[in-house]
Amino acid sequence: RFEEIRSVGYHVAGTNHQSLILNKPMTVNVNYRSHSGILNTAAAVLRCIFTVFPDSAKQLPEDKGVFRGPRPGVLQKISRELLTAFVIEKQNGIIV
């Protein structure tokens, strides 16, 4: 963890070299690489996971997207042939 690295740095550097210690990182909740549809879907999945396993990981604020994109879809129980045809015809940012 970053906090532990900083505490070791304080211990090693001592009071004379405090300027060598890394600053605490800022938390940024704006995601410039993914659109809001993907981020909202990911947040919904994480909410479900944290409902069932509340202490499984540190819960951070949800990321916000800068722009809207195509509505994500979740494909369940789809045949390999149909998935292949779907990906070949509509490769508009699909992740499998």
Side-chain angles (χ1 to χ4, degrees):
R1 290 184 167 209
F2 193 78
E3 295 88 9
E4 295 166 354
I5 293 171
R6 290 183 71 231
S7 68
V8 169
Y10 277 111
H11 180 70
V12 171
T15 56
N16 297 334
H17 298 8
Q18 298 270 331
S19 62
L20 299 175
I21 308 300
L22 298 171
N23 291 329
K24 191 172 183 178
M26 293 180 5
T27 301
V28 179
N29 295 342
V30 177
N31 187 318
Y32 295 98
R33 296 180 291 176
S34 298
H35 62 76
S36 60
I38 295 294
L39 297 172
N40 293 342
T41 302
V45 169
L46 287 173
R47 277 194 302 272
C48 291
I49 291 171
F50 285 129
T51 299
V52 178
F53 305 104
D55 298 324
S56 60
K58 183 176 180 182
Q59 295 186 35
L60 300 173
E62 293 180 7
D63 283 355
K64 304 295 180 201
V66 176
F67 59 93
R68 293 177 59 176
R71 185 175 179 182
V74 178
L75 305 175
Q76 296 179 7
K77 298 180 183 179
I78 187 170
S79 70
R80 182 178 298 190
E81 293 80 17
L82 187 57
L83 180 61
T84 302
F86 183 74
V87 171
I88 289 172
E89 291 174 14
K90 301 182 182 201
Q91 293 179 350
N92 188 11
I94 189 169
I95 297 174
V96 179

